[in-house]
Amino acid sequence: MYKNYQEFIKSNLKLDMSRGKPSPEQLDLALSLLNETGISDQIKSSGTDCRNYGVQLGLPEVREFFASLLDVSMDQVVVEGNSSLALMHDVIVFALLYGTAGHSPWVSEKPITFICPVPGYDRHFSILEAFGIKMINVPLLEDGPDMDIVESLVSKDDSIKGMWCVPKYSNPTGTVYSADVINRLAAMNTAAADFRLFWDDAYHFHHLTDERIAIPNILDLCQTAGNPDRAIVFASTSKMTFAGSGLAILASSMANIDWWQKCVSVRTIGPDKLNQLRHLHFFQDSVSVDSLMDQHRAILKPKFDIVDAVFEEYLGKIEGVSWSKPLGGYFINLITPAGLAKRTIELAKDAGIVLTPAGATFPYGVDPEDKHIRIAPSFPSLDEIKLAAQGVSLSLLHAIEDQKDNIK
Amino acid sequence: MYKNYQEFIKSNLKLDMSRGKPSPEQLDLALSLLNETGISDQIKSSGTDCRNYGVQLGLPEVREFFASLLDVSMDQVVVEGNSSLALMHDVIVFALLYGTAGHSPWVSEKPITFICPVPGYDRHFSILEAFGIKMINVPLLEDGPDMDIVESLVSKDDSIKGMWCVPKYSNPTGTVYSADVINRLAAMNTAAADFRLFWDDAYHFHHLTDERIAIPNILDLCQTAGNPDRAIVFASTSKMTFAGSGLAILASSMANIDWWQKCVSVRTIGPDKLNQLRHLHFFQDSVSVDSLMDQHRAILKPKFDIVDAVFEEYLGKIEGVSWSKPLGGYFINLITPAGLAKRTIELAKDAGIVLTPAGATFPYGVDPEDKHIRIAPSFPSLDEIKLAAQGVSLSLLHAIEDQKDNIK
């Protein structure tokens, strides 16, 4: 155990904790996918030669499989490409240029605004910033976004067309939206008739406890509330099989799926169906999915535990410092006293630890109070994580000391 | 041999010749790609774990491989996704929403216009139509687009931002652009500073003779002419390995590649690198690519020959009827007397043969003289193709008789 920052900096660590990447050990869990030879017998799935063009929305049996996992009907599911981020991006592009089903193109209605619960996922915000879509921060509370603020905003402002939601094990706080919050999101009155919830269910299967938390089905609730086309759900197998070679999934109302199909068929003749077949072979059924995710958890949980233990030891009694204790997902959110996140990240960098840039979990990269640090414990080894957690702790303690000195 | 349409219609044929899909025999040529097990040893290519996130522009060694095939430098090549159509679509989306490098977004400059050599590829036109981009038809002559018209248009009208080109074995005519035409395209003055050639080199490797026609390198010519950022080249392996699971390639100037990277990194964290590794293993080198394409040719050439022979027999002496004799690519363009393409396609349909819809090879689906029929001989078997060519011929002859009767 290092006692102070000066001692730590001498250890010459070189560690990247900036992104939520799976570790090599996790990727090894899907190694049989790489060597999947059985699919050559199955290239004529559903009467289609899966090697050829076509099947715009994904192979029926693969859509069926994810439909059952996500508890929706097969018609409501699209399986396409290797990146759910790309699906989110493209929904926004199509909304900008075509408008959502039955509505005007967003480009003809500028300015467009999105509600962004904060802290949140930097790549969500990057898409909006790139397209000049205005972002409004709304605090993420213990049980989800502050719904009093959300309801007040969307009921009055018809430029608000969308809202990012990571409803389970949210990036970076691990927040799980409560049933009450989800119900209110589904039922609230919105001034814009074409308001959409961008429901990024990135961590649906990524539990860190044996509780396997389930949240209410947003598509059902929207339907019941009379807002059937409100939510578009995204998921992927990137953190289940291979991060770069998984499957991306979109689920929504039939009207939204028809709209998606119309838009996407201008773009491509169809997805890589062979990779879909590979995944179907590999996953088999929901029991084996659970078992796979248990194996991921067995690798990930000790990493989260060691960060928590180190933080507890170094920072447990420090005023103004706290951190999330997520039950799933990929991140820990470390909260520093106001004004110290950036400085802490700089000090950690000088000590050889690359963290997610300060402010990244806020729109425009601006954390107004400069106090959030996203910790991504998944990729490094357990020993490295332990060292890195010490380094981050000592960097923060050093920043706190500096601040005290400056006040004196 | 059927003697007339009435006799043919009784044969109860059921054939789809509407799309340029590879046949199962062609897809079998890449079967070892499906069972590629060797890549598990190579997942750490170039120091990257190819299973994980990242490597935005494609694996360096895969970019290098296609760079050498396309005779450009590795820095100028992106390998990404399974669909070159998607790359074309996304270049247009990025140009609409961001503008091309250093220029205004096209959406802020409406109306935008493209030059479309006709007949051409329907999916090119569909993208433009979907986004409300105006299309101007320019005749495709024996040696490429009518350059007098093209030069006159682009020099005066700064709303003309782009032009589709399929420079080799063009869809559907098989036209190969001459060196003179390509030079003029590279060097011509354009009123719009951000004019772009969308250079769809879809049939670069798809020869039907042993001549293996090569055309001048458009990127070099644009560079020499002082228009380094004018051309964006697209290619894919869809008709070399698997139509739905191939690799898509984009090549252009460094400035355009930088622009592409900036735009696409908002969309996704990276392409499927394992499929890239698979392809690298399968292709090996340019000699084996040539040998693979020779095998494709051995399957395709007899199909083109039989169509030509049947057309010669039935239609060879019919006034106003002609057809292309392509040296590569996937299509034969059948030209009917004016006003008979649509009727011929209807008659063929009644006889069980689905052809590409009339007008499809023209913007907005309108063939002004109604005389072009795209024949796609690749997918059906040789016997089926022979029957279908008879059916198309008899349908056309029947339409000609009907027309004569009506005139009487």
Side-chain angles (χ1 to χ4, degrees):
Chain A
M1 300 299 276
Y2 295 93
K3 286 195 189 127
N4 58 49
Y5 181 73
Q6 283 73 17
E7 195 182 299
F8 185 82
I9 208 167
K10 287 180 198 143
S11 69
N12 282 319
L13 207 58
K14 232 109 226 47
L15 254 181
D16 191 334
M17 294 224 300
S18 65
R19 306 296 323 175
K21 287 163 71 170
S23 62
E25 295 71 30
Q26 290 178 268
L27 297 170
D28 283 346
L29 296 175
L31 214 52
S32 70
L33 191 69
L34 198 61
N35 294 325
E36 189 63 74
T37 55
I39 64 167
S40 56
D41 306 329
Q42 306 224 346
I43 49 177
K44 292 218 169 177
S45 169
S46 315
T48 307
D49 187 330
C50 292
R51 302 169 301 179
N52 221 321
Y53 289 116
V55 196
Q56 192 74 63
L57 301 184
L59 287 176
E61 59 271 50
V62 176
R63 295 170 67 194
E64 185 73 59
F65 178 73
F66 286 107
S68 78
L69 288 184
L70 296 172
D71 195 22
V72 294
S73 90
M74 182 266 215
D75 295 340
Q76 292 181 273
V77 172
V78 172
V79 183
E80 191 159 330
N82 73 325
S83 162
S84 59
L85 187 73
L87 299 183
M88 299 174 215
H89 173 276
D90 288 356
V91 167
I92 290 173
V93 161
F94 296 152
L96 282 164
L97 293 172
Y98 299 129
T100 53
H103 298 278
S104 311
W106 289 355
V107 288
S108 70
E109 288 191 35
K110 285 198 164 178
I112 294 297
T113 312
F114 262 57
I115 289 180
C116 300
V118 290
Y121 178 35
D122 56 348
R123 292 188 194 272
H124 287 167
F125 305 147
S126 299
I127 295 174
L128 301 182
E129 188 173 0
F131 293 131
I133 295 171
K134 202 180 135 197
M135 297 180 258
I136 300 178
N137 296 5
V138 167
L140 191 66
L141 308 179
E142 292 259 310
D143 62 344
D146 187 324
M147 284 309 299
D148 291 342
I149 300 180
V150 171
E151 285 168 344
S152 164
L153 285 166
V154 298
S155 67
K156 287 174 203 145
D157 182 351
D158 69 359
S159 87
I160 300 177
K161 298 292 189 181
M163 173 172 173
W164 286 115
C165 300
V166 185
K168 195 160 84 175
Y169 311 139
S170 196
N171 174 353
T173 55
T175 308
V176 178
Y177 289 18
S178 70
D180 180 54
V181 162
I182 297 175
N183 267 300
R184 286 171 75 178
L185 286 166
M188 65 190 180
N189 285 319
T190 64
D194 54 350
F195 174 86
R196 294 284 178 272
L197 294 170
F198 285 73
W199 202 257
D200 186 359
D201 203 3
Y203 306 105
H204 190 100
F205 306 100
H206 306 71
H207 316 285
L208 285 170
T209 74
D210 52 17
E211 196 187 340
R212 288 187 194 137
I213 291 173
I215 58 172
N217 184 322
I218 186 69
L219 296 176
D220 287 350
L221 292 179
C222 286
Q223 170 75 36
T224 305
N227 302 310
D229 305 327
R230 175 169 292 179
I232 305 175
V233 176
F234 302 92
S236 91
T237 71
S238 292
K239 294 185 179 84
M240 301 170 78
T241 57
F242 296 138
S245 304
L247 304 179
I249 299 134
L250 180 155
S252 196
S253 67
M254 281 300 299
N256 284 345
I257 298 297
D258 287 347
W259 170 81
W260 170 262
Q261 177 161 22
K262 212 172 148 188
C263 299
V264 85
S265 65
V266 175
R267 183 177 184 270
T268 171
I269 311 174
D272 180 347
K273 298 178 290 299
L274 295 176
N275 203 33
Q276 299 193 359
L277 267 190
R278 260 181 224 113
H279 274 76
L280 197 62
H281 258 239
F282 174 74
F283 278 134
Q284 297 179 51
D285 56 33
S286 74
V287 175
S288 57
V289 169
D290 284 345
S291 145
L292 171 70
M293 296 316 291
D294 284 348
Q295 294 173 270
H296 278 283
R297 170 155 68 97
I299 296 170
L300 285 169
K301 186 61 164 56
K303 296 182 178 180
F304 279 79
D305 286 347
I306 198 76
V307 172
D308 187 63
V310 171
F311 281 0
E312 190 58 51
E313 182 176 341
Y314 284 83
L315 305 171
K317 289 170 186 159
I318 307 297
E319 208 186 313
V321 175
S322 61
W323 59 92
S324 59
K325 295 168 188 287
L327 304 178
Y330 262 62
F331 301 102
I332 291 169
N333 190 44
L334 173 62
I335 296 178
T336 73
L340 289 187
K342 200 170 190 170
R343 179 68 187 137
T344 302
I345 289 167
E346 279 169 6
L347 287 166
K349 191 182 174 191
D350 294 342
I353 305 167
V354 180
L355 297 171
T356 309
T361 58
F362 284 76
Y364 311 106
V366 178
D367 174 0
E369 295 185 87
D370 185 27
K371 62 180 198 181
H372 295 83
I373 298 177
R374 186 178 83 164
I375 307 291
S378 56
F379 188 78
S381 70
L382 201 57
D383 286 346
E384 290 171 323
I385 286 291
K386 188 177 176 180
L387 276 175
Q390 290 177 36
V392 172
S393 300
L394 292 168
S395 298
L396 174 51
L397 291 171
H398 189 68
I400 291 172
E401 286 308 310
D402 276 356
Q403 195 181 46
K404 277 187 197 151
D405 290 347
N406 288 339
I407 290 168
K408 284 176 204 162
Chain B
M1 299 298 277
Y2 295 93
K3 285 194 191 125
N4 58 48
Y5 181 74
Q6 282 72 21
E7 196 182 296
F8 184 84
I9 208 167
K10 287 180 196 141
S11 70
N12 283 319
L13 207 59
K14 224 117 206 65
L15 253 181
D16 191 334
M17 292 225 298
S18 65
R19 304 297 325 176
K21 287 163 69 169
S23 63
E25 295 70 31
Q26 289 178 268
L27 298 169
D28 283 346
L29 297 175
L31 214 52
S32 71
L33 192 67
L34 199 60
N35 294 325
E36 189 62 75
T37 55
I39 62 166
S40 56
D41 306 328
Q42 307 223 346
I43 49 177
K44 292 219 168 174
S45 169
S46 314
T48 308
D49 188 331
C50 293
R51 303 169 300 179
N52 221 322
Y53 289 115
V55 196
Q56 192 74 60
L57 301 184
L59 287 175
E61 59 272 48
V62 177
R63 296 171 66 195
E64 186 73 58
F65 178 73
F66 287 106
S68 77
L69 288 184
L70 297 172
D71 195 23
V72 295
S73 90
M74 182 267 213
D75 295 340
Q76 292 180 274
V77 172
V78 172
V79 183
E80 190 158 333
N82 72 326
S83 162
S84 59
L85 187 72
L87 299 184
M88 300 174 214
H89 173 276
D90 289 355
V91 167
I92 290 174
V93 161
F94 297 151
L96 282 163
L97 293 172
Y98 299 129
T100 53
H103 298 279
S104 312
W106 290 355
V107 289
S108 70
E109 288 191 35
K110 285 199 166 180
I112 294 295
T113 312
F114 262 56
I115 289 180
C116 300
V118 290
Y121 178 34
D122 55 350
R123 293 189 193 271
H124 287 166
F125 306 147
S126 299
I127 294 173
L128 301 182
E129 187 173 359
F131 294 131
I133 295 171
K134 202 179 134 198
M135 295 179 260
I136 299 178
N137 296 4
V138 167
L140 191 65
L141 308 178
E142 293 258 312
D143 62 345
D146 186 324
M147 284 308 300
D148 292 342
I149 300 180
V150 171
E151 286 167 344
S152 163
L153 285 166
V154 298
S155 67
K156 287 174 203 145
D157 182 351
D158 69 357
S159 86
I160 300 177
K161 299 291 190 183
M163 174 173 173
W164 286 115
C165 299
V166 185
K168 195 160 83 173
Y169 311 139
S170 195
N171 173 355
T173 55
T175 308
V176 178
Y177 289 17
S178 70
D180 180 54
V181 163
I182 297 175
N183 267 300
R184 286 171 75 177
L185 286 166
M188 65 190 180
N189 286 318
T190 64
D194 54 350
F195 175 85
R196 293 285 179 272
L197 294 170
F198 285 73
W199 202 256
D200 186 0
D201 203 3
Y203 306 106
H204 190 100
F205 306 100
H206 305 71
H207 317 284
L208 284 171
T209 74
D210 53 16
E211 197 188 338
R212 288 188 193 138
I213 292 173
I215 58 171
N217 183 323
I218 186 68
L219 295 177
D220 287 349
L221 292 180
C222 286
Q223 170 75 37
T224 305
N227 302 310
D229 305 327
R230 175 169 293 179
I232 305 174
V233 176
F234 302 93
S236 90
T237 71
S238 291
K239 293 184 180 82
M240 301 169 77
T241 57
F242 296 138
S245 304
L247 304 180
I249 298 134
L250 180 155
S252 197
S253 67
M254 282 300 300
N256 284 345
I257 298 297
D258 287 347
W259 171 81
W260 170 262
Q261 176 162 21
K262 211 171 150 188
C263 299
V264 84
S265 65
V266 175
R267 183 176 184 270
T268 171
I269 310 174
D272 180 346
K273 299 177 291 299
L274 294 175
N275 204 33
Q276 299 193 358
L277 267 191
R278 259 181 225 112
H279 275 76
L280 197 62
H281 258 239
F282 174 73
F283 279 133
Q284 297 178 50
D285 56 33
S286 73
V287 175
S288 57
V289 168
D290 283 345
S291 144
L292 171 69
M293 296 317 289
D294 284 348
Q295 294 174 269
H296 278 281
R297 170 155 69 99
I299 296 169
L300 285 169
K301 186 61 164 56
K303 296 182 178 181
F304 279 78
D305 286 346
I306 197 77
V307 172
D308 186 63
V310 171
F311 281 0
E312 191 58 49
E313 182 175 342
Y314 285 82
L315 306 170
K317 290 169 187 161
I318 308 297
E319 207 188 313
V321 175
S322 62
W323 58 93
S324 58
K325 295 167 187 289
L327 305 178
Y330 262 63
F331 302 102
I332 291 169
N333 190 45
L334 173 62
I335 297 179
T336 74
L340 289 186
K342 199 170 191 169
R343 179 68 186 135
T344 302
I345 289 169
E346 280 168 7
L347 287 166
K349 191 182 175 190
D350 294 342
I353 305 166
V354 181
L355 297 170
T356 309
T361 58
F362 284 76
Y364 311 106
V366 178
D367 173 1
E369 295 186 87
D370 186 26
K371 62 180 197 182
H372 295 83
I373 297 177
R374 187 179 80 164
I375 307 290
S378 56
F379 188 78
S381 71
L382 201 56
D383 287 347
E384 290 171 322
I385 286 290
K386 189 176 176 181
L387 277 173
Q390 290 178 38
V392 172
S393 301
L394 292 167
S395 299
L396 173 52
L397 291 172
H398 190 69
I400 291 173
E401 286 309 311
D402 276 358
Q403 195 182 46
K404 277 186 196 152
D405 290 348
N406 288 339
I407 291 168
K408 287 174 199 163

